[in-house]
Amino acid sequence: MPTFEYAPAPESRAVVTIEDSYGLFIGGEWTPGHGTPFATINPATGEHLSTVAEATTDDVDAAVRAARTAYTRVWSRMSGTDRGKYLFRIARIMQERARELAVLETIDNGKPIKETRDFDVPTAAAHFFYHAGWADKLEYAGLGSDIRPHGVVGQIIPWNFPLLMLAWKIAPALAAGNTVVLKPAETTPLAAMLFAEICQQADLPPGVVNIVTGAGATGQSIVDHPGIDKIAFTGSTAVGKMIARSIAGTEKKATLELGGKAANIIFDDAPIDQAVEGIVGGIFFNQGQVCCAGSRLLVQENIVDDVVRRLKRRLETLRLGDPLDKNTDVGAINSAEQLARITELTEAGVAEGAERWDTGCPLPKNGFWFRPTLFTGVSQSHRIAQEEIFGPVLSVLTFRTPGEAVAKANNTPYGLSAGVWTEKGSRILWIADQLRAGVVWANTFNQFDPTSPFGGYKESGYGREGGRQGLAAYVRSGGVA
Amino acid sequence: MSRIDVRKTYKLFIGGAFPRSESGRSYDVYAAPTREGNRAFLANAAQASRKDARNAVVAARKAVAGWSGATAYNRGQVLYRVAEVMESRRDQLIAEVRSAEGLTAARAATVVDAAIDRWVWYAGWTDKIAQVTGNANPVAGPYFNISAPEPTGVVAVVAPQGDSLLGLVSVVAPVVATGNTCVVIASQEHPLPAITLAECLATSDLPGGVVNVLTGDPAEMAPWLASHLDVNAIDLAGAGSLDWAALEADAAGNLKRVRRPSTDEDFTATPALSRMTDFLETKTVWHPKGR
Amino acid sequence: MTTSAETTARARDLLGVSRLTNRSLTSWLHALPGVDQVGCDSRAAGLRTRSIKTDSKRWAIDLAISMIDLTTLEGADTAGKVRGLATRALVPDPSDPSTPSPAAVCVYGDMVAVARETLGDSDIKVAAVATAFPSGRASLKVKLADTKEAVAAGADEIDMVIDRGAFLAGDYLTVFNQIAAVKEACIRADGSAARLKVIMETGELVTYDNVRRASWLSMLAGGDFIKTSTGKINPAATLPVTLIMLEAVRDWRDEFDEQIGVKPAGGIRTSKEAISFLVAVSEVAGEDWLTNEWFRFGASSLLNDLILQRQRMALGVYSGSDYIADDAPSAY
């Protein structure tokens, strides 16, 4: 009997135009950078995509000055209604150019087209649409009387959701009346380059959005620039701490969206088939390169064998390969550096005595790849249960009682997200209360929405993104709040 | 011949008990200078050490589960009880504030009354802050989704150094009203009202460890609290004259929530909501809606 | 061949009880894991996003055609209508003899003989709906007589309906006993037996938890197939409901080493839709079910769309209904 082979179903690349090189987007114009240009590649193939300018401290200064001018002369004087209209325009253009954005994001990041098409791009557009509506309603947000924007906001975003993180940052900042200088991650700058073009199409006043490319040094220049009023950062906890130190003693405000080591707790009365889906989606979505990934599976000990068996069977059906293929579930790891880190930590897992299993699926020859991997027999003291791997690697631990599940879930310096699966309502509410995490997904996982605040406890950072609470991070209050 | 009065020993307040400093140290506390410039000796206050600060953090951590888990109504009752107990010691507090800060009798009374009223204000906030800062979120899918505030955990507080009672109450009450516990470094120069406040707290149903009061040198203790990995947040209200930038940098070690020093804060004015919200986390819970 | 007594004895054995009671059935069924509706719907939606192109699509279309129970179940059915349907099954596309035939023709019991005669000695099966289809509201005696007549008339397969009223009232034992009795009624004089498809009418069971419980109950009572719907109730065969049934047959085989078939019926009209179901079969139950022995579509107009797509792939141009020979156009 023949098996059901899915023929290749590649999304066309023709919809995307990638320039040979990109400059910096400052004051509404493309300007050359003064640092050393760097390459961005397709992590699924190793193919060179483009060369991108590196912004020096002087370039960052020019961007901050452009943002300040736009803030003082235009954006802070504009009515909320008009600011909102620009954001609505941007949201619409993103929807119109959704296919292009999805393909470009997949090429530059390595994530599957079905994710960029069905999640990253529509959710990014939704963030602009949601915040557009806030622009002329800020006084109704319950954030106090006499609220004002900060001024110029410096934003530094990671490579795992290049367009979505840009939207999470820029949409609320602009809605609240700030102007921005944004730095995309050095391995995934192209979505931001296309977004700059969208700003031009929307006739957004020059300088309201400025995009500077570069690596850590460029980011540090933004953080240290005296003209920056607020920093918004998403990335690693280590860098988040550096930023918090850098701005200590200044007037600068910060919101930090950092790492995580989320527990996904499965009780023996869970809706098991959906729980398995939730576990898989929780850790293998975006190749596990997600700060809120459910990387620590906590299973009630009496069902662990059944859960692991079901999980392995499900993982066998995941399709790893060409990210542009519409049937690909697991794409490429974003960079050689990230692949090395995943490899190093999984080797540590083996060395520490945990039992490793992977799907054994073939990996493409070029590019950066890692098979969906499962560790059983993991204890809290293993590095793979403590450190953020940021890859498609799941550690399975067990618990006996609800109290023990909570204790293990909370036993980490992180506190970004957590999951719990049980059909018992009162237990869900008790566990949700006990978990020290900013987002708790009960009988679901990895759900995101512009109206829903996202952000962590403890070393997962501070501040929220999305919803009314996310908006609060982009205003200062002169009144009683 | 007048009676020889019985003087009070002013000690620390840690975990609901009143220990001396583990270091055995104390320091002289004087009244505000008279017109002639004389400063009367008032007491030997305990000079807390970094180990006392550490013990206070342990006590505060131990108290988190019970206090944050108490109902908001219950916390409101306790905070109101604090106001009741302070009211009954109003004269003593006025006298202490007056001698410490050199205020007129009328001004001292105003300050003490404001401090008592502040507890009443926050007693009323305990069961409303979640309603004011939390909300349901209309997500684009079949999910129930709600965001609500939760206490950050253990909060270290450097109390205002001038305003010895009203300043102290204004920074401690909002922190504990929402379910946090705290370790507070009182005014170094005027520590006695803080200890009397501690006595009020100890007799007002507030569980031991929810508020821990340290007297001594903020410059000595604050760095240990700022860098302590089991402290979740720090209010630098009274750290303006310290190297607070260094304290904020230390606090980055475990990404504490930091509230920077307040400059010339008018503690008689209605407090900003941020005194509470700076030490709250937003938790968002999702659940599917299905049949 | 399995008698009702044998089915009950096996059920006792599988449940580990000395007597099969409603309480023991309830405990067993209610211990099955719950189904979260939102999660299940979202998994089904995920399966729908699979993009099946070129060779895979060609292969899937032929497989889907071969899995159809080509159906007419109308009060207005006549011998002529049934003959037309059966002929269509023999020659699904006169313009392309390589087109596979459907698995079966599905009719009311009184039309079995007509269908059988038209199909002759072809491999195409005759399936008959029985047991007071579609409501099932008749005495057991009537249901068994209905079944026996269809079997005697030459039905290869019997599509029975469960007593949804009894199921919703928690009377699982009645549902079980009726299925077991119908199973026995499927035994032919020569000792062989018609295959039994158990229609749960999932649109009336409403919740996904009920679908899972009814699936396990039907398998326990001896159903060879579990089937979603009569086609007379909306919603009929949805992908999430079929997904739950595929999980049920997969888990049943894991537990008891017995393979059971699945038949979504009603509402599947397009090739794209049918292919989504095949994707679900492949990714949830596994490829052992990718044959018409273990998976069927209860459908009528689906065949037309599959042929349309088949012609499109063969000719390289879009075809039209004038190029589909349809002997039995039906509203079903």
Side-chain angles (χ1 to χ4, degrees):
Chain A
M1 182 179 52
T3 54
F4 197 173
E5 297 287 356
Y6 302 162
E11 183 62 64
S12 167
R13 271 186 74 149
V15 67
V16 161
T17 310
I18 300 175
E19 305 291 337
D20 289 340
S21 67
Y22 288 93
L24 310 173
F25 186 66
I26 295 176
E29 304 283 341
W30 291 104
T31 58
H34 296 88
T36 313
F38 57 98
T40 183
I41 63 167
N42 180 341
T45 59
E47 169 202 2
H48 173 94
L49 294 174
S50 184
T51 302
V52 180
E54 185 201 22
T56 62
T57 301
D58 287 345
D59 295 326
V60 168
D61 182 58
V64 173
R65 277 187 285 112
R68 176 64 60 189
T69 304
Y71 175 73
T72 319
R73 297 198 186 150
V74 183
W75 203 242
S76 65
R77 296 181 181 190
M78 190 182 287
S79 70
T81 309
D82 287 349
R83 285 202 312 273
K85 282 181 172 174
Y86 280 112
L87 294 180
F88 279 123
R89 253 190 209 174
I90 291 172
R92 275 291 189 251
I93 298 175
M94 288 174 79
Q95 289 171 329
E96 286 156 10
R97 300 181 69 174
R99 182 64 59 93
E100 194 182 344
L101 284 163
V103 172
L104 183 66
E105 187 86 315
T106 286
I107 292 172
D108 202 23
N109 172 279
K111 64 170 69 189
I113 186 75
K114 77 168 189 185
E115 288 182 11
T116 55
R117 178 195 66 198
D118 297 343
F119 175 72
D120 298 60
V121 177
T123 314
H127 266 268
F128 276 96
F129 203 87
Y130 172 76
H131 286 99
W134 267 128
D136 57 358
K137 301 170 192 67
L138 296 172
E139 65 271 31
Y140 299 99
L143 302 174
S145 55
D146 185 29
I147 50 173
R148 303 182 312 274
H150 290 286
V152 178
V153 180
Q155 305 183 314
I156 301 166
I157 58 171
W159 45 261
N160 57 344
F161 296 95
L163 182 71
L164 185 59
M165 290 301 105
L166 173 149
W168 281 26
K169 295 283 177 290
I170 292 182
L174 266 50
N178 304 279
T179 57
V180 308
V181 175
L182 176 130
K183 184 189 90 64
E186 63 270 29
T187 61
T188 55
L190 297 186
M193 303 294 99
L194 181 48
F195 181 80
E197 217 180 292
I198 290 173
C199 291
Q200 288 177 323
Q201 275 192 343
D203 285 332
L204 188 73
V208 172
V209 168
N210 303 277
I211 296 173
V212 292
T213 40
T218 306
Q220 191 69 49
S221 299
I222 295 174
V223 171
D224 291 342
H225 196 289
I228 294 281
D229 298 305
K230 177 206 160 66
I231 295 288
F233 170 75
T234 297
S236 73
T237 288
V239 175
K241 288 179 182 179
M242 282 166 53
I243 291 174
R245 276 191 201 98
S246 296
I247 65 166
T250 71
E251 299 267 299
K252 287 174 192 165
K253 300 282 183 187
T255 44
L256 305 172
E257 201 74 78
L258 310 175
K261 192 73 192 176
N264 201 359
I265 305 170
I266 318 291
F267 282 96
D268 63 3
D269 65 346
I272 199 68
D273 291 297
Q274 290 71 50
V276 168
E277 290 307 308
I279 297 164
V280 171
I283 184 63
F284 300 111
F285 174 59
N286 203 26
Q287 296 69 247
Q289 303 168 131
V290 186
C291 49
C292 55
S295 53
R296 279 188 301 149
L297 183 65
L298 288 173
V299 187
Q300 195 163 351
E301 196 167 333
N302 59 349
I303 55 162
V304 66
D305 292 343
D306 188 44
V307 168
V308 168
R309 183 180 62 84
R310 287 167 181 271
L311 203 48
K312 287 179 176 173
R313 178 175 62 200
R314 177 69 176 91
L315 295 184
E316 303 274 8
T317 69
L318 290 179
R319 304 171 63 88
L320 177 147
D322 179 8
L324 276 175
D325 190 306
K326 288 176 249 183
N327 291 321
T328 291
D329 300 312
V330 180
I333 301 302
N334 182 249
S335 64
E337 189 190 358
Q338 187 55 26
L339 181 60
R341 171 161 176 81
I342 298 168
T343 308
E344 194 261 319
L345 272 166
T346 46
E347 281 166 2
V350 173
E352 287 177 331
E355 193 178 327
R356 178 192 173 139
W357 177 91
D358 68 46
T359 58
C361 66
L363 298 179
K365 268 206 222 73
N366 300 318
F368 316 121
W369 301 90
F370 202 87
R371 287 189 192 95
T373 299
L374 197 71
F375 276 102
T376 50
V378 180
S379 6
Q380 285 287 108
S381 52
H382 284 141
R383 277 181 73 196
I384 50 172
Q386 289 292 324
E387 295 180 33
E388 186 175 38
I389 298 174
F390 225 65
V393 182
L394 179 65
S395 298
V396 184
L397 298 89
T398 61
F399 68 88
R400 296 163 299 172
T401 62
E404 189 177 31
V406 166
K408 284 187 171 178
N410 286 341
N411 180 215
T412 163
Y414 295 114
L416 187 52
S417 64
V420 55
W421 297 79
T422 165
E423 292 251 292
K424 184 166 178 169
S426 58
R427 184 186 289 150
I428 285 174
L429 296 178
W430 182 82
I431 298 251
D433 262 1
Q434 301 297 312
L435 290 169
R436 301 290 291 162
V439 183
V440 176
W441 287 297
N443 289 327
T444 187
F445 209 92
N446 270 351
Q447 300 291 339
F448 307 90
D449 193 273
T451 68
S452 180
F454 182 90
Y457 285 34
K458 301 195 276 185
E459 292 199 15
S460 290
Y462 37 76
R464 292 293 176 269
E465 295 186 284
R468 207 164 60 86
Q469 291 79 0
L471 199 61
Y474 284 99
V475 296
R476 62 175 84 214
S477 164
V480 294
Chain B
M1 190 173 155
S2 63
R3 178 172 176 269
I4 305 295
D5 59 351
V6 179
R7 289 185 180 171
K8 189 159 95 181
T9 308
Y10 291 87
K11 296 190 282 189
L12 308 176
F13 183 52
I14 296 175
F18 289 92
R20 290 194 168 83
S21 167
E22 65 75 36
S23 66
R25 298 178 305 175
S26 64
Y27 67 105
D28 298 347
V29 177
Y30 296 96
T34 60
R35 225 169 290 157
E36 296 77 35
N38 300 324
R39 303 192 67 170
F41 172 78
L42 292 177
N44 288 307
Q47 185 171 0
S49 66
R50 67 176 165 90
K51 286 187 182 168
D52 292 315
R54 178 201 62 188
N55 293 343
V57 171
V58 171
R61 174 58 63 197
K62 213 169 146 189
V64 165
W67 185 241
S68 65
T71 64
Y73 177 66
N74 181 240
R75 284 201 302 271
Q77 297 269 306
V78 171
L79 263 59
Y80 187 76
R81 179 75 182 151
V82 173
E84 287 178 348
V85 174
M86 285 177 73
E87 185 84 21
S88 71
R89 296 173 75 157
R90 182 171 176 271
D91 292 346
Q92 179 195 353
L93 287 163
I94 291 171
E96 281 179 353
V97 169
R98 192 180 171 194
S99 70
E101 299 180 27
L103 306 177
T104 63
R107 176 67 192 159
T110 303
V111 165
V112 170
D113 289 348
I116 295 171
D117 291 354
R118 184 121 308 149
W119 284 105
V120 174
W121 201 68
Y122 282 113
W125 262 117
T126 58
D127 53 5
K128 292 162 197 73
I129 186 70
Q131 293 179 308
V132 169
T133 62
N135 49 265
N137 303 304
V139 298
Y143 297 93
F144 171 83
N145 179 296
I146 197 160
S147 294
E150 282 192 351
T152 294
V154 174
V155 181
V157 179
V158 182
Q161 294 296 298
D163 206 334
S164 62
L165 183 67
L166 179 57
L168 177 67
V169 169
S170 298
V171 294
V172 167
V175 165
V176 298
T178 57
N180 293 293
T181 65
C182 77
V183 174
V184 58
I185 304 174
S187 162
Q188 182 178 19
E189 203 183 341
H190 319 304
L192 305 191
I195 295 305
T196 303
L197 173 68
E199 289 167 7
C200 295
L201 299 175
T203 52
S204 63
D205 305 332
L206 190 77
V210 172
V211 174
N212 304 275
V213 181
L214 302 172
T215 54
D217 183 2
E220 179 187 353
M221 287 178 282
W224 294 101
L225 291 173
S227 62
H228 198 308
L229 296 179
D230 207 24
V231 172
N232 302 101
I234 187 163
D235 183 351
L236 297 172
S241 60
L242 305 178
D243 182 2
W244 65 267
L247 295 175
E248 186 180 346
D250 286 346
N254 67 334
L255 290 164
K256 284 180 190 64
R257 287 73 177 121
V258 177
R259 186 176 167 104
R260 289 175 180 150
S262 26
T263 45
D264 303 326
E265 190 166 346
D266 175 9
F267 288 114
T268 59
T270 304
L273 208 58
S274 62
R275 283 236 159 260
M276 285 187 286
T277 55
D278 281 356
F279 307 108
L280 289 173
E281 307 291 328
T282 298
K283 177 183 282 178
T284 300
V285 180
W286 293 69
H287 196 280
K289 292 194 269 196
R291 285 179 292 186
Chain C
M1 58 169 278
T2 318
T3 65
S4 181
E6 284 165 348
T7 302
T8 303
R10 186 185 76 145
R12 280 201 306 266
D13 191 38
L14 297 183
L15 266 62
V17 293
S18 56
R19 203 161 62 87
L20 193 67
T21 61
N22 198 55
R23 175 178 294 214
S24 57
L25 280 173
T26 304
S27 309
W28 185 69
L29 293 173
H30 289 210
L32 291 166
V35 185
D36 185 84
Q37 186 195 347
V38 173
C40 180
D41 287 348
S42 114
R43 167 80 162 126
L47 290 165
R48 266 184 213 285
T49 67
R50 291 293 190 213
S51 178
I52 306 303
K53 301 288 181 207
T54 61
D55 287 346
S56 312
K57 186 172 177 184
R58 217 168 268 126
W59 182 84
I61 285 172
D62 279 7
L63 181 63
I65 293 172
S66 80
M67 287 172 160
I68 289 178
D69 281 2
L70 195 60
T71 302
T72 182
L73 294 169
E74 289 167 16
D77 280 348
T78 59
K81 166 97 192 276
V82 170
R83 251 184 246 113
L85 191 79
T87 310
R88 180 81 201 284
L90 289 166
V91 189
D93 183 0
S95 72
D96 185 353
S98 74
T99 310
S101 280
V105 166
C106 181
V107 293
Y108 270 111
D110 61 342
M111 291 291 171
V112 167
V114 178
R116 183 72 275 163
E117 188 191 350
T118 313
L119 291 170
D121 57 1
S122 79
D123 290 338
I124 302 168
K125 306 277 195 283
V126 176
V129 296
T131 70
F133 180 95
S135 76
R137 294 254 69 86
S139 69
L140 180 59
K141 198 174 139 193
V142 169
K143 293 182 187 182
L144 294 178
D146 194 14
T147 306
K148 283 174 186 161
E149 278 188 25
V151 172
D156 301 292
E157 300 170 354
I158 294 295
D159 289 28
M160 71 167 288
V161 293
I162 66 164
D163 183 341
R164 285 87 77 188
F167 182 90
L168 291 170
D171 188 0
Y172 302 133
L173 189 60
T174 294
V175 179
F176 177 94
N177 285 337
Q178 290 193 4
I179 299 170
V182 174
K183 171 95 171 170
E184 184 171 315
C186 288
I187 301 173
R188 301 189 188 95
D190 66 359
S192 66
R195 287 183 91 192
L196 178 62
K197 306 198 195 93
V198 181
I199 303 172
M200 302 183 290
E201 197 66 303
T202 52
E204 288 184 346
L205 302 184
V206 178
T207 70
Y208 290 177
D209 292 324
N210 278 344
V211 172
R212 174 164 287 175
R213 288 171 184 168
S215 298
W216 283 74
L217 181 59
S218 302
M219 293 188 290
L220 184 73
D224 298 304
F225 259 83
I226 49 178
K227 175 175 169 184
T228 59
S229 326
T230 61
K232 306 296 186 191
I233 293 286
N234 258 324
T238 67
L239 188 56
V241 156
T242 307
L243 173 62
I244 293 162
M245 290 161 60
L246 289 165
E247 288 163 355
V249 297
R250 173 198 69 193
D251 291 348
W252 179 272
R253 188 175 73 171
D254 280 353
E255 198 147 337
F256 303 122
D257 204 24
E258 179 192 33
Q259 189 162 355
I260 305 289
V262 175
K263 177 179 172 184
I268 304 167
R269 295 189 180 87
T270 66
S271 304
K272 189 171 165 43
E273 182 76 358
I275 290 172
S276 296
F277 278 71
L278 295 183
V279 165
V281 173
S282 168
E283 296 202 23
V284 178
E287 60 186 45
D288 289 355
W289 272 266
L290 280 175
T291 145
N292 65 8
E293 196 184 353
W294 300 112
F295 194 81
R296 297 279 178 85
F297 291 106
S300 48
S301 62
L302 172 61
L303 178 60
N304 288 351
D305 193 66
L306 286 164
I307 300 232
L308 213 56
Q309 294 301 321
R310 203 173 183 279
Q311 290 179 350
R312 143 86 183 88
M313 298 200 79
L315 305 172
V317 296
Y318 291 106
S319 188
S321 59
D322 287 354
Y323 300 86
I324 306 283
D326 191 356
D327 257 311
S330 165
Y332 171 55

